[in-house]
Structure formats: structure tokens, C-alpha cells
Amino acid sequence: MFVRNKTLTLASAALAAAALASGAARAEDVFKIGLIVPMTGGQASTGKQIDNAIKLYMQQNGDTVAGKKIQVILKDDAALPDNTKRLAQELIVNDKVNVIAGFGVTPAAFAAAPLATQGKIPEVVMAAGTSIITEKSPYIVRTSFTLPQSSTIIGDWAVKNGIKKVATLTSDYAPGNDALASFKEHFTAGGGEIVEEIKVPLANPDFAPFLQRMKDAKPDAMFVFVPAGQGGNFMKQYAERGLDKSGIKVIGPGDVTDDDLLNDMGDAVLGAVTAHIYSAAHPSAKNKEFVAAYKKAFNSRPGFMAVGGYDGIHLIYEALKKTGGKTDGDSLIAAMKGMAWESPRGPISIDPETRDIVQNVYIRKVEKVDGELYNVEFQTFDAVKDPGKAKK
Amino acid sequence: MTAILTNLFDGVAYGMLLFVLACGLAVTLGLMNFVNLAHGAFAMAGGYVCAVLVNRMGWPFFAALPLAFVASAMIGALLERTLYQHLYARSHLDQVLFSIGLVFMTVAAVDYIMGSSRIFINLPDVLQGQFDIFGVGIGRYRLMIIVICGLLTVGLQLVLSKTRFGSRLRAAVDDPRAASGLGINVPQVFAFTFAFGCGLAGLGGALSAEILGLDPYFPLKFMIYFLIVVTVGGSSSITGPFLASLLLGIGDVAGKYYVPKLGPFVIYTIMIVILIWRPNGLFGRTATR
């Protein structure tokens, strides 16, 4: 008994020593990505899609880049900026991550910005969509989208396609206000008229009174932005109140018809026209392969948040390749600027001046394909830069 | 004119829904003098039971509703026997801390089991859409809420004021010692009342999924509304919370419709005005226990 115990102790000590030694040797060769996304709470679907997409990308492309082993440390901030800040600090100081990434909502991306600047660490924004995010730190790069990108285009499209009077319903927070302002500017410049403008509180349980007001204003269409996740509630009540039958169309940036939730919304959503950067029905070979792989791995359809994550991790991989394994923030950011590649959403690039994404914006209509609801693209606007920055 | 009536209808439906959700809390808080902030958790349980039965097991919606009530009531009875009854004699602060802890645990548990995305209950076609009566839009689902909740209110009022159980309950609350001396099984009465309140919450949760949305954060998101209803209504009767729910529902809908910029604050304004005028709520007793 004694002998056996001793051997065990010896063996475990040896193992521990070996683990320590290899750990020390490897620390140099590990490239750490701190991924901060909401995995619980109202925005959880964002975090889950990004996490899935990153896992998928790493399965497909291996976890070694330029001699470094990629390690992703996932943290859940539940979309609360206080959490984001604390987690980013822990990741940078304790875990010594090389990149922070994720950021489901705008306030979260803001909260981490000063830390990225201080720590000289790239912050790769994979979801949040307010225009000014990339101006908050020279280390921020975005692979998602901005709301003005899609809202200006749907504004232009609406006036050109016989929609004269529009009532707007937007969530009252930064992205909602961004969407409203850019839509309004382009829609009225083209001669359209806003007959009603309603801002809905973000934590709004019941859309009924707002929808009734929309109905009574009798517009040709209503411009809608609600954060992904509330779209289902909104579309159900839109149908309940008979707005679909009264001929008031839904137009807007694509968040309201997120692929992730589209199928649960029912037929009322058929015919909604939105402008957005990604649809699971995007007809390219790259996207078909992406959707098939994603469906196979996670048994669900990827939405635009998944693509933001997929492209974000690609950007980090490629930047590390380009620097030849140099991991300091300045080299990585320099490598990311101007990078261009083919994403499942189409060709995209990083604007070297603003570090924001340049991409195609598509006009899509919800249609039934093989018994499932999809945003089917029918018009493309090539290489759209963020109009929020073009103004300055 | 039709807009006013449509809004009135929507407001009444919303108010009725608030009432069913909150009246269980009025019972535990007012009659049993127990601060149960976890009330919304029982509502959420009912909602999820109904959703699982209808969406996954293909039950008809109307058959799943009573089961949402029964399931929540049973969970309530179980927790009352195992946990809650030990806290009746404790201070309100202990009760608050205990029940809010329970809320966080249920949120995490439901998030883990059911996932955190918002779910909807598949409704039968009969309940979808609106019909017009002289230009007033009547939502079928909302009409059903008004009917169910209206019947329930009348039933509750009758049980409390006219039945033997009602008088036992009132006796047990007013003076537990004298009541048990008279042969009333006070713990049993309390357990039954608590379970019934939880059942009502569960029914409310199942009914509200369509309108308020159902996700694991439901108990936290709507806690404030339950508390407003009970505060405004006063907690010593059922009539108080009922009128308060109607007032708040109509006020909330009208506020959001007519002054959308201020809309979300109307409900708080009503609360503040009423509490300045009657600090114990509309029908509160002047002396608090």
C-alpha cells in the first residue's frame, strides 16, 4: 500500500512538473483572444451565434497560425457594459490576451474602448452597430456593420419605389436613433414624407398602442428598427392588429427580420422589405458552404451576427499571418487596415482610414423558399462605406 | 371616437392581464403579509409549461391553460411546504432577500434548461387577428383575456366573501392564534392560499406570453409592474388591485398612444399621484399591520 502510494505521488509530481514546464515553454506561443459577448439575457442569441461561428471557423482552419496556438477565452457580459468593462480588464491584465473581441451591444463596445487604447490591444467589434464606435479608440476594428449603412439605402430605395408616406417606429437607444436619423435624411431628401415618428422604449413589453397609432396614421409603409430578438414580438402584434392586411408594409434595416428568428414569426412577415448586409439565402458558393456547415454543426440557421463573428476571427487569423507572428497591438492593427476578403455575405474590406467595414448592402424581401422563410436578395449596392463617417 | 374605443379595449385587456398576474401577489402580500418578490417566477413557470405543452407536445391551447395553473400551483405548494413556511414569522427584509434570491436561481435555471431566447406559444387560428365592431378594432386574443380574467375576478370575489374557506382565510390572517383555537387548520389554509396565488400567476404567465413575450428574465422584468399594481390598489382586498390594474392598463395604453414621447412614464405618474393622495393605495387600510 505504502509503495503504491509513493509511486502515485511520484508520478503525479512528475506529471505536474512536466505540465508546468510545457506551460512555461508554450506561453510564448499562445495567442489569446478574449471574447466578450452576451451569452445570457435578452441579447443571448447574439453571443451564441458569434461563439458558434468562431468555433466553426477554428474547426475549419485549425488553431495554429504563424506558429502560434490560438486560444479563445469566452466571457459572458449579459450585454451589461459594467460587466464588459470588468471582464475586459481581467482579460487584459490577468489573462494577458492579445485581442479583445465580441461586443454584442453598443454600450459594451464603448465600455471596453478606453481599455483597448490604454492596453494597446486590438478590439474587434463583431456585433454592435452604432456608427461612432470605431472613433472611440484607434485600436477598434469592426467586422459587423453600421446602422447608417443599411438605413440610408432603404431610405433611398423607398422613395424610388413609390413609398411616399412613412411612419417610423424605432427603439430609443443609440443604434435606433442612428437608424432613424440616416433613414430620415435620405428618405426626405428624395421627397418622402415622415407622417409619424415614434421612439419605443428599449424594455417595452407591449407594442399595441404604438402600432395602433401607426395604423391610424395610414402611411404607405412603416420603417422599423428593433434590436434582434424583439422582432418576433413586433411582427406578431403587427399581424394581430391587421396592419399587414391594411397594406402598411414593413421596411427597415434587417434587424427586424433576423434569420435567426425569421422562421418563428409566421406568414405576417412575408413581403417585408429590408436592407441589410447578410441573408442566409445569399446566393454565393461561399455562403452555401458556410450555411451548410453551420447548420450541420449547430442545427440552426446562421444570422448576421454569426457572420460578424466568422469574419472577425478570420480578420484576426489573417492579421497574425501578415505580421508573421508579431502580436503587439500596433502591428496587428496595421495589418488589419485595408485587408479585403470574400465573406459569406460577399466581398468585404476594412477601411484603412476608419477601421470600419466596407461591404455590399442588399435589398431583400421575405419570401417562402422550400417551406421556410428567407430574406431573398434582389438588389445590391456595392462596397458601401459607413455614411456616418463620410459626413465629416 | 373609434380610436378612443380601440384604445380603451386594449387598455382594459392589458389591465386584466396585469390583474391576473399580480393578484396572487396581492393575496400573499395583503392577506398573508408575506413579501414574495419571486411571484413572477411562478408566472414564468406557468408560461413555460403552457409553451412546452402546446409547442412541443401538440396540446390545444385551451387545454394547456388550466395545466399552467395546476403546475404553478403545485410548484407553489411544494415550495410553500419546504421553504416559504419557515419564513412567515421572519422579518420582511429576510423575506425579500430570500425571495429575490429565488428569482435569480429560477432565472439561471430556466435560462439553462429552456435557453434564453424569447419564445411564443402557438395560438389556434380562432385567437388570431382582429374583428371590427362599428370600426372599433377588437383583438380576438385580447377579448379572450378580458373574458377569462373577468370570470376569474368574479369567482375570486365570491370565494373570498361568500364561502366558508373565505371566512376561514380571513380569520386565519387576522388572528392566527384565535383561528387555530377555533379548529381552523391555519398552516393548511395558508398553504392552499399560497398555492392558489401561484396558480393564478401561472395562468397569467401563460396568457401573457403572446403580449409581453416570455423569456427567462420575465420575473425580473415584470416585478415592477406587479408591485405597482399592489401598491396602487392596496393589498387588503381583491377589488383594490383589480381597479388599480384597470386604471394602470388603460392609463399605460392611452399614454403610449396619445403622448408617445411620455408614454412609458404615464404608469409611474399615475402611481405617484395616487400614492400622494392615498398613501396606502386606493383601498388600503389606514393602519398598517
Side-chain angles (χ1 to χ4, degrees):
Chain A
M1 200 58 204
F2 170 75
V3 177
R4 196 165 156 227
N5 245 342
K6 202 173 168 189
T7 26
L8 262 179
T9 325
L10 268 177
S12 59
L15 265 176
L20 268 177
S22 72
R26 235 196 255 154
E28 284 290 292
D29 305 328
V30 175
F31 185 87
K32 289 183 184 169
I33 302 170
L35 180 65
I36 311 173
V37 285
M39 296 297 284
T40 52
Q43 309 291 327
S45 72
T46 299
K48 281 176 188 156
Q49 286 199 46
I50 291 176
D51 181 41
N52 285 349
I54 289 177
K55 284 194 179 120
L56 179 65
Y57 186 88
M58 292 179 71
Q59 264 171 34
Q60 291 171 337
N61 296 279
D63 60 355
T64 316
V65 181
K68 307 250 172 208
K69 197 169 163 56
I70 306 282
Q71 186 193 352
V72 175
I73 306 172
L74 174 69
K75 299 276 180 184
D76 171 21
D77 67 352
L80 302 171
D82 288 351
N83 288 349
T84 320
K85 190 165 188 182
R86 177 175 53 79
L87 292 169
Q89 206 148 17
E90 282 173 15
L91 285 167
I92 293 170
V93 176
N94 299 346
D95 297 309
K96 308 222 172 345
V97 295
N98 302 95
V99 171
I100 48 175
F103 310 100
V105 294
T106 298
F110 282 172
L115 298 168
T117 312
Q118 275 171 25
K120 294 190 177 5
I121 286 186
E123 173 179 337
V124 179
V125 176
M126 298 172 167
T130 310
S131 177
I132 56 165
I133 287 176
T134 50
E135 291 163 31
K136 292 285 171 183
S137 161
Y139 289 90
I140 294 180
V141 182
R142 170 153 47 194
T143 60
S144 48
F145 63 99
T146 75
L147 282 153
Q149 265 178 342
S150 39
S151 301
T152 50
I153 282 177
I154 194 76
D156 290 336
W157 180 87
V159 264
K160 279 187 203 130
N161 286 274
I163 294 173
K164 297 273 174 283
K165 290 195 290 180
V166 164
T168 66
L169 186 151
T170 51
S171 281
D172 195 4
Y173 75 132
N177 296 334
D178 256 17
L180 175 64
S182 355
F183 170 77
K184 222 160 96 176
E185 192 190 317
H186 280 240
F187 183 64
T188 49
E193 187 195 347
I194 307 273
V195 291
E196 185 80 63
E197 185 180 313
I198 289 180
K199 291 182 180 178
V200 182
L202 194 53
N204 184 60
D206 187 4
F207 289 104
F210 300 116
L211 280 168
Q212 186 62 35
R213 209 177 156 92
M214 297 270 129
K215 193 178 179 184
D216 295 345
K218 296 197 174 61
D220 300 327
M222 54 193 292
F223 173 83
V224 182
F225 171 80
V226 293
Q230 281 189 22
N233 243 32
F234 172 80
M235 288 309 306
K236 285 206 124 195
Q237 297 191 8
Y238 162 84
E240 185 208 351
R241 209 141 284 268
L243 270 82
D244 52 340
K245 291 185 190 72
S246 59
I248 302 173
K249 292 194 194 89
V250 170
I251 59 172
D255 306 72
V256 71
T257 57
D258 185 3
D259 272 299
D260 201 28
L261 304 162
L262 191 57
N263 257 327
D264 297 333
M265 291 184 192
D267 288 351
V269 76
L270 280 172
V273 175
T274 50
H276 209 39
I277 52 145
Y278 176 72
S279 158
H282 180 64
S284 73
K286 174 96 186 161
N287 183 51
K288 280 185 182 138
E289 182 199 329
F290 170 68
V291 172
Y294 190 98
K295 269 189 177 163
K296 193 173 164 226
F298 309 108
N299 201 21
S300 67
R301 201 199 276 184
F304 62 95
M305 293 298 184
V307 178
Y310 197 73
D311 288 332
I313 186 82
H314 178 83
L315 179 71
I316 297 171
Y317 267 53
E318 292 303 309
L320 194 58
K321 273 185 204 162
K322 210 165 145 188
T323 61
K326 271 172 82 180
T327 57
D328 64 289
D330 291 303
S331 311
L332 286 171
I333 288 286
M336 287 173 183
K337 284 181 182 174
M339 199 173 270
W341 70 99
E342 166 83 15
S343 149
R345 62 183 118 170
I348 59 175
S349 65
I350 301 295
D351 187 336
E353 272 145 40
T354 62
R355 288 160 281 104
D356 217 328
I357 187 164
V358 181
Q359 59 192 330
N360 294 353
V361 174
Y362 308 91
I363 311 265
R364 319 92 48 88
K365 189 181 214 168
V366 178
E367 285 173 19
K368 210 165 230 176
V369 182
D370 301 331
E372 284 190 50
L373 297 174
Y374 278 101
N375 290 301
V376 177
E377 298 166 354
F378 62 87
Q379 197 177 342
T380 307
F381 290 78
D382 286 323
V384 179
K385 284 192 181 188
D386 175 33
K389 275 150 207 135
K391 257 181 247 164
K392 283 166 198 156
Chain B
M1 187 61 198
T2 54
I4 295 176
L5 289 177
T6 305
N7 279 311
L8 195 64
F9 171 79
D10 286 341
V12 171
Y14 188 43
M16 289 283 200
L17 192 60
L18 280 181
F19 174 68
V20 178
L21 278 167
C23 75
L25 182 63
V27 170
T28 41
L29 194 68
L31 294 179
M32 293 164 66
N33 199 24
F34 186 95
V35 188
N36 180 23
L37 293 186
H39 186 71
F42 295 101
M44 175 171 71
Y48 274 100
V49 165
C50 185
V52 168
L53 286 176
V54 174
N55 295 0
R56 297 204 188 153
M57 301 167 76
W59 282 44
F61 181 66
F62 285 110
L65 277 185
L67 229 89
F69 177 94
V70 173
S72 299
M74 276 164 57
I75 299 171
L78 184 73
L79 289 181
E80 199 274 343
R81 284 293 87 190
T82 50
L83 300 172
Y84 277 92
Q85 65 156 334
H86 305 295
L87 286 126
Y88 285 151
R90 302 283 280 274
S91 71
H92 279 171
L93 180 64
D94 287 350
Q95 297 172 351
V96 164
L97 292 176
F98 163 74
S99 53
I100 196 84
L102 203 62
V103 170
F104 286 115
M105 285 166 66
T106 49
V107 166
V110 172
D111 195 297
Y112 181 76
I113 300 166
M114 299 296 298
S116 51
S117 55
R118 203 173 270 195
I119 60 167
F120 298 99
I121 298 171
N122 298 335
L123 293 180
D125 293 339
V126 197
L127 291 178
Q128 288 178 10
Q130 264 185 330
F131 54 87
D132 266 20
I133 298 179
F134 307 116
V136 182
I138 305 285
R140 294 167 197 266
Y141 190 80
R142 284 171 210 254
L143 182 65
M144 178 206 72
I145 288 183
I146 293 180
V147 172
I148 293 184
C149 300
L151 290 175
L152 217 72
T153 313
V154 175
L156 268 181
Q157 189 60 38
L158 286 178
V159 167
L160 276 181
S161 60
K162 297 275 191 293
T163 64
R164 200 178 184 82
F165 177 78
S167 42
R168 281 185 180 181
L169 173 61
R170 281 177 284 136
V173 168
D174 281 342
D175 194 337
R177 279 186 65 187
S180 52
L182 290 168
I184 297 173
N185 187 342
V186 174
Q188 200 183 45
V189 170
F190 273 12
F192 187 80
T193 310
F194 187 85
F196 191 77
C198 294
L200 283 178
L203 179 68
L207 287 174
S208 69
E210 176 72 8
I211 288 178
L212 304 180
L214 186 64
D215 60 45
Y217 287 79
F218 185 91
L220 287 171
K221 271 198 292 193
F222 295 102
M223 184 191 291
I224 187 88
Y225 290 93
F226 305 148
L227 291 174
I228 290 178
V229 167
V230 177
T231 320
V232 170
S235 51
S236 58
S237 69
I238 289 297
T239 337
F242 178 70
L243 290 177
S245 303
L246 281 185
L247 188 67
L248 292 167
I250 295 169
D252 195 42
V253 168
K256 282 175 176 166
Y257 182 84
Y258 290 106
V259 274
K261 282 205 168 63
L262 299 174
F265 300 104
V266 169
I267 195 165
Y268 302 106
T269 317
I270 296 177
M271 177 183 80
I272 291 166
V273 170
I274 290 180
L275 289 184
I276 290 174
W277 173 47
R278 292 189 71 98
N280 291 312
L282 284 176
F283 291 84
R285 295 177 192 175
T286 35
T288 42
R289 262 178 289 144

PDB file of all heavy atoms in Angstrom, chain B residues 164-188:
ATOM      1  N   ARG B 164     -67.127  29.421   2.955  1.00  0.00           N
ATOM      2  CA  ARG B 164     -66.578  29.047   4.241  1.00  0.00           C
ATOM      3  C   ARG B 164     -65.060  29.209   4.232  1.00  0.00           C
ATOM      4  O   ARG B 164     -64.456  29.703   5.185  1.00  0.00           O
ATOM      5  CB  ARG B 164     -66.925  27.572   4.469  1.00  0.00           C
ATOM      6  CG  ARG B 164     -66.865  27.130   5.889  1.00  0.00           C
ATOM      7  CD  ARG B 164     -67.280  25.666   5.976  1.00  0.00           C
ATOM      8  NE  ARG B 164     -67.317  25.263   7.346  1.00  0.00           N
ATOM      9  CZ  ARG B 164     -68.325  25.498   8.155  1.00  0.00           C
ATOM     10  NH1 ARG B 164     -69.402  26.118   7.695  1.00  0.00           N
ATOM     11  NH2 ARG B 164     -68.280  25.102   9.410  1.00  0.00           N
ATOM     12  N   PHE B 165     -64.455  28.806   3.096  1.00  0.00           N
ATOM     13  CA  PHE B 165     -62.997  28.915   3.013  1.00  0.00           C
ATOM     14  C   PHE B 165     -62.563  30.372   3.123  1.00  0.00           C
ATOM     15  O   PHE B 165     -61.596  30.696   3.803  1.00  0.00           O
ATOM     16  CB  PHE B 165     -62.481  28.315   1.695  1.00  0.00           C
ATOM     17  CG  PHE B 165     -61.004  28.468   1.559  1.00  0.00           C
ATOM     18  CD1 PHE B 165     -60.155  27.616   2.256  1.00  0.00           C
ATOM     19  CD2 PHE B 165     -60.446  29.480   0.800  1.00  0.00           C
ATOM     20  CE1 PHE B 165     -58.795  27.765   2.178  1.00  0.00           C
ATOM     21  CE2 PHE B 165     -59.078  29.642   0.722  1.00  0.00           C
ATOM     22  CZ  PHE B 165     -58.252  28.773   1.408  1.00  0.00           C
ATOM     23  N   GLY B 166     -63.324  31.243   2.462  1.00  0.00           N
ATOM     24  CA  GLY B 166     -63.006  32.666   2.509  1.00  0.00           C
ATOM     25  C   GLY B 166     -63.001  33.183   3.928  1.00  0.00           C
ATOM     26  O   GLY B 166     -62.072  33.895   4.356  1.00  0.00           O
ATOM     27  N   SER B 167     -64.010  32.817   4.695  1.00  0.00           N
ATOM     28  CA  SER B 167     -64.047  33.347   6.066  1.00  0.00           C
ATOM     29  C   SER B 167     -62.958  32.710   6.929  1.00  0.00           C
ATOM     30  O   SER B 167     -62.383  33.364   7.798  1.00  0.00           O
ATOM     31  CB  SER B 167     -65.439  33.146   6.682  1.00  0.00           C
ATOM     32  OG  SER B 167     -65.921  31.872   6.368  1.00  0.00           O
ATOM     33  N   ARG B 168     -62.647  31.456   6.660  1.00  0.00           N
ATOM     34  CA  ARG B 168     -61.529  30.824   7.391  1.00  0.00           C
ATOM     35  C   ARG B 168     -60.216  31.546   7.105  1.00  0.00           C
ATOM     36  O   ARG B 168     -59.422  31.799   7.997  1.00  0.00           O
ATOM     37  CB  ARG B 168     -61.369  29.374   6.958  1.00  0.00           C
ATOM     38  CG  ARG B 168     -62.363  28.477   7.610  1.00  0.00           C
ATOM     39  CD  ARG B 168     -62.072  27.055   7.225  1.00  0.00           C
ATOM     40  NE  ARG B 168     -63.035  26.198   7.867  1.00  0.00           N
ATOM     41  CZ  ARG B 168     -63.047  24.887   7.760  1.00  0.00           C
ATOM     42  NH1 ARG B 168     -62.148  24.287   7.014  1.00  0.00           N
ATOM     43  NH2 ARG B 168     -63.950  24.184   8.389  1.00  0.00           N
ATOM     44  N   LEU B 169     -60.037  31.846   5.829  1.00  0.00           N
ATOM     45  CA  LEU B 169     -58.799  32.515   5.436  1.00  0.00           C
ATOM     46  C   LEU B 169     -58.692  33.864   6.126  1.00  0.00           C
ATOM     47  O   LEU B 169     -57.663  34.210   6.715  1.00  0.00           O
ATOM     48  CB  LEU B 169     -58.750  32.696   3.911  1.00  0.00           C
ATOM     49  CG  LEU B 169     -57.585  33.532   3.382  1.00  0.00           C
ATOM     50  CD1 LEU B 169     -56.255  32.887   3.743  1.00  0.00           C
ATOM     51  CD2 LEU B 169     -57.668  33.704   1.882  1.00  0.00           C
ATOM     52  N   ARG B 170     -59.812  34.622   6.095  1.00  0.00           N
ATOM     53  CA  ARG B 170     -59.768  35.949   6.709  1.00  0.00           C
ATOM     54  C   ARG B 170     -59.513  35.829   8.207  1.00  0.00           C
ATOM     55  O   ARG B 170     -58.745  36.609   8.773  1.00  0.00           O
ATOM     56  CB  ARG B 170     -61.060  36.710   6.410  1.00  0.00           C
ATOM     57  CG  ARG B 170     -61.044  37.301   4.990  1.00  0.00           C
ATOM     58  CD  ARG B 170     -62.343  37.992   4.639  1.00  0.00           C
ATOM     59  NE  ARG B 170     -63.393  37.030   4.337  1.00  0.00           N
ATOM     60  CZ  ARG B 170     -64.631  37.119   4.781  1.00  0.00           C
ATOM     61  NH1 ARG B 170     -64.983  38.117   5.556  1.00  0.00           N
ATOM     62  NH2 ARG B 170     -65.525  36.215   4.450  1.00  0.00           N
ATOM     63  N   ALA B 171     -60.098  34.811   8.814  1.00  0.00           N
ATOM     64  CA  ALA B 171     -59.871  34.611  10.245  1.00  0.00           C
ATOM     65  C   ALA B 171     -58.410  34.248  10.513  1.00  0.00           C
ATOM     66  O   ALA B 171     -57.768  34.783  11.420  1.00  0.00           O
ATOM     67  CB  ALA B 171     -60.782  33.510  10.762  1.00  0.00           C
ATOM     68  N   ALA B 172     -57.885  33.354   9.693  1.00  0.00           N
ATOM     69  CA  ALA B 172     -56.503  32.898   9.877  1.00  0.00           C
ATOM     70  C   ALA B 172     -55.534  34.058   9.748  1.00  0.00           C
ATOM     71  O   ALA B 172     -54.511  34.109  10.426  1.00  0.00           O
ATOM     72  CB  ALA B 172     -56.173  31.810   8.862  1.00  0.00           C
ATOM     73  N   VAL B 173     -55.856  34.985   8.864  1.00  0.00           N
ATOM     74  CA  VAL B 173     -54.964  36.113   8.648  1.00  0.00           C
ATOM     75  C   VAL B 173     -55.051  37.093   9.805  1.00  0.00           C
ATOM     76  O   VAL B 173     -54.042  37.561  10.338  1.00  0.00           O
ATOM     77  CB  VAL B 173     -55.328  36.814   7.322  1.00  0.00           C
ATOM     78  CG1 VAL B 173     -54.624  38.147   7.223  1.00  0.00           C
ATOM     79  CG2 VAL B 173     -54.970  35.920   6.156  1.00  0.00           C
ATOM     80  N   ASP B 174     -56.289  37.399  10.223  1.00  0.00           N
ATOM     81  CA  ASP B 174     -56.466  38.433  11.234  1.00  0.00           C
ATOM     82  C   ASP B 174     -55.907  38.012  12.589  1.00  0.00           C
ATOM     83  O   ASP B 174     -55.289  38.805  13.290  1.00  0.00           O
ATOM     84  CB  ASP B 174     -57.955  38.790  11.378  1.00  0.00           C
ATOM     85  CG  ASP B 174     -58.395  39.719  10.253  1.00  0.00           C
ATOM     86  OD1 ASP B 174     -57.490  40.321   9.637  1.00  0.00           O
ATOM     87  OD2 ASP B 174     -59.603  39.828   9.994  1.00  0.00           O
ATOM     88  N   ASP B 175     -56.118  36.773  12.963  1.00  0.00           N
ATOM     89  CA  ASP B 175     -55.619  36.325  14.257  1.00  0.00           C
ATOM     90  C   ASP B 175     -55.360  34.822  14.212  1.00  0.00           C
ATOM     91  O   ASP B 175     -56.218  34.019  14.541  1.00  0.00           O
ATOM     92  CB  ASP B 175     -56.651  36.661  15.348  1.00  0.00           C
ATOM     93  CG  ASP B 175     -56.006  36.532  16.728  1.00  0.00           C
ATOM     94  OD1 ASP B 175     -54.990  35.801  16.837  1.00  0.00           O
ATOM     95  OD2 ASP B 175     -56.521  37.158  17.663  1.00  0.00           O
ATOM     96  N   PRO B 176     -54.145  34.444  13.768  1.00  0.00           N
ATOM     97  CA  PRO B 176     -53.854  33.017  13.573  1.00  0.00           C
ATOM     98  C   PRO B 176     -54.092  32.195  14.844  1.00  0.00           C
ATOM     99  O   PRO B 176     -54.578  31.066  14.779  1.00  0.00           O
ATOM    100  CB  PRO B 176     -52.371  32.997  13.194  1.00  0.00           C
ATOM    101  CG  PRO B 176     -51.989  34.389  12.907  1.00  0.00           C
ATOM    102  CD  PRO B 176     -53.023  35.302  13.464  1.00  0.00           C
ATOM    103  N   ARG B 177     -53.762  32.794  16.021  1.00  0.00           N
ATOM    104  CA  ARG B 177     -53.888  32.008  17.254  1.00  0.00           C
ATOM    105  C   ARG B 177     -55.340  31.691  17.572  1.00  0.00           C
ATOM    106  O   ARG B 177     -55.707  30.551  17.837  1.00  0.00           O
ATOM    107  CB  ARG B 177     -53.251  32.757  18.420  1.00  0.00           C
ATOM    108  CG  ARG B 177     -51.744  32.573  18.449  1.00  0.00           C
ATOM    109  CD  ARG B 177     -51.158  33.186  19.685  1.00  0.00           C
ATOM    110  NE  ARG B 177     -51.622  32.507  20.894  1.00  0.00           N
ATOM    111  CZ  ARG B 177     -51.343  32.948  22.120  1.00  0.00           C
ATOM    112  NH1 ARG B 177     -50.658  34.059  22.290  1.00  0.00           N
ATOM    113  NH2 ARG B 177     -51.772  32.297  23.177  1.00  0.00           N
ATOM    114  N   ALA B 178     -56.189  32.730  17.516  1.00  0.00           N
ATOM    115  CA  ALA B 178     -57.601  32.515  17.805  1.00  0.00           C
ATOM    116  C   ALA B 178     -58.208  31.580  16.763  1.00  0.00           C
ATOM    117  O   ALA B 178     -59.016  30.707  17.084  1.00  0.00           O
ATOM    118  CB  ALA B 178     -58.349  33.848  17.798  1.00  0.00           C
ATOM    119  N   ALA B 179     -57.782  31.740  15.509  1.00  0.00           N
ATOM    120  CA  ALA B 179     -58.338  30.911  14.445  1.00  0.00           C
ATOM    121  C   ALA B 179     -58.019  29.449  14.676  1.00  0.00           C
ATOM    122  O   ALA B 179     -58.898  28.582  14.572  1.00  0.00           O
ATOM    123  CB  ALA B 179     -57.794  31.361  13.101  1.00  0.00           C
ATOM    124  N   SER B 180     -56.755  29.150  15.073  1.00  0.00           N
ATOM    125  CA  SER B 180     -56.433  27.737  15.288  1.00  0.00           C
ATOM    126  C   SER B 180     -57.139  27.220  16.533  1.00  0.00           C
ATOM    127  O   SER B 180     -57.477  26.050  16.625  1.00  0.00           O
ATOM    128  CB  SER B 180     -54.917  27.513  15.355  1.00  0.00           C
ATOM    129  OG  SER B 180     -54.343  28.375  16.287  1.00  0.00           O
ATOM    130  N   GLY B 181     -57.391  28.129  17.481  1.00  0.00           N
ATOM    131  CA  GLY B 181     -58.166  27.750  18.648  1.00  0.00           C
ATOM    132  C   GLY B 181     -59.578  27.329  18.281  1.00  0.00           C
ATOM    133  O   GLY B 181     -60.188  26.483  18.951  1.00  0.00           O
ATOM    134  N   LEU B 182     -60.092  27.932  17.210  1.00  0.00           N
ATOM    135  CA  LEU B 182     -61.439  27.586  16.755  1.00  0.00           C
ATOM    136  C   LEU B 182     -61.448  26.351  15.867  1.00  0.00           C
ATOM    137  O   LEU B 182     -62.475  26.013  15.271  1.00  0.00           O
ATOM    138  CB  LEU B 182     -62.049  28.755  15.988  1.00  0.00           C
ATOM    139  CG  LEU B 182     -62.412  29.979  16.840  1.00  0.00           C
ATOM    140  CD1 LEU B 182     -62.721  31.160  15.944  1.00  0.00           C
ATOM    141  CD2 LEU B 182     -63.574  29.675  17.763  1.00  0.00           C
ATOM    142  N   GLY B 183     -60.301  25.728  15.722  1.00  0.00           N
ATOM    143  CA  GLY B 183     -60.252  24.493  14.950  1.00  0.00           C
ATOM    144  C   GLY B 183     -59.940  24.697  13.471  1.00  0.00           C
ATOM    145  O   GLY B 183     -60.096  23.778  12.683  1.00  0.00           O
ATOM    146  N   ILE B 184     -59.489  25.911  13.122  1.00  0.00           N
ATOM    147  CA  ILE B 184     -59.086  26.122  11.729  1.00  0.00           C
ATOM    148  C   ILE B 184     -57.631  25.682  11.580  1.00  0.00           C
ATOM    149  O   ILE B 184     -56.774  26.074  12.379  1.00  0.00           O
ATOM    150  CB  ILE B 184     -59.229  27.604  11.334  1.00  0.00           C
ATOM    151  CG1 ILE B 184     -60.698  28.026  11.412  1.00  0.00           C
ATOM    152  CG2 ILE B 184     -58.669  27.859   9.950  1.00  0.00           C
ATOM    153  CD1 ILE B 184     -60.925  29.510  11.203  1.00  0.00           C
ATOM    154  N   ASN B 185     -57.369  24.866  10.597  1.00  0.00           N
ATOM    155  CA  ASN B 185     -56.005  24.413  10.361  1.00  0.00           C
ATOM    156  C   ASN B 185     -55.261  25.522   9.614  1.00  0.00           C
ATOM    157  O   ASN B 185     -55.247  25.575   8.387  1.00  0.00           O
ATOM    158  CB  ASN B 185     -56.028  23.121   9.549  1.00  0.00           C
ATOM    159  CG  ASN B 185     -54.643  22.526   9.416  1.00  0.00           C
ATOM    160  OD1 ASN B 185     -53.642  23.214   9.634  1.00  0.00           O
ATOM    161  ND2 ASN B 185     -54.586  21.252   9.052  1.00  0.00           N
ATOM    162  N   VAL B 186     -54.637  26.424  10.388  1.00  0.00           N
ATOM    163  CA  VAL B 186     -54.065  27.627   9.796  1.00  0.00           C
ATOM    164  C   VAL B 186     -52.971  27.333   8.755  1.00  0.00           C
ATOM    165  O   VAL B 186     -53.012  27.875   7.648  1.00  0.00           O
ATOM    166  CB  VAL B 186     -53.557  28.589  10.901  1.00  0.00           C
ATOM    167  CG1 VAL B 186     -52.832  29.777  10.281  1.00  0.00           C
ATOM    168  CG2 VAL B 186     -54.719  29.060  11.746  1.00  0.00           C
ATOM    169  N   PRO B 187     -51.988  26.468   9.069  1.00  0.00           N
ATOM    170  CA  PRO B 187     -50.959  26.195   8.053  1.00  0.00           C
ATOM    171  C   PRO B 187     -51.553  25.676   6.741  1.00  0.00           C
ATOM    172  O   PRO B 187     -51.108  26.050   5.652  1.00  0.00           O
ATOM    173  CB  PRO B 187     -50.083  25.119   8.704  1.00  0.00           C
ATOM    174  CG  PRO B 187     -50.315  25.262  10.154  1.00  0.00           C
ATOM    175  CD  PRO B 187     -51.723  25.739  10.319  1.00  0.00           C
ATOM    176  N   GLN B 188     -52.583  24.844   6.880  1.00  0.00           N
ATOM    177  CA  GLN B 188     -53.197  24.284   5.679  1.00  0.00           C
ATOM    178  C   GLN B 188     -53.874  25.382   4.856  1.00  0.00           C
ATOM    179  O   GLN B 188     -53.729  25.445   3.634  1.00  0.00           O
ATOM    180  CB  GLN B 188     -54.237  23.255   6.092  1.00  0.00           C
ATOM    181  CG  GLN B 188     -54.584  22.292   4.987  1.00  0.00           C
ATOM    182  CD  GLN B 188     -55.682  21.343   5.441  1.00  0.00           C
ATOM    183  OE1 GLN B 188     -56.671  21.757   6.044  1.00  0.00           O
ATOM    184  NE2 GLN B 188     -55.505  20.070   5.169  1.00  0.00           N
TER     185      GLN B 188
END
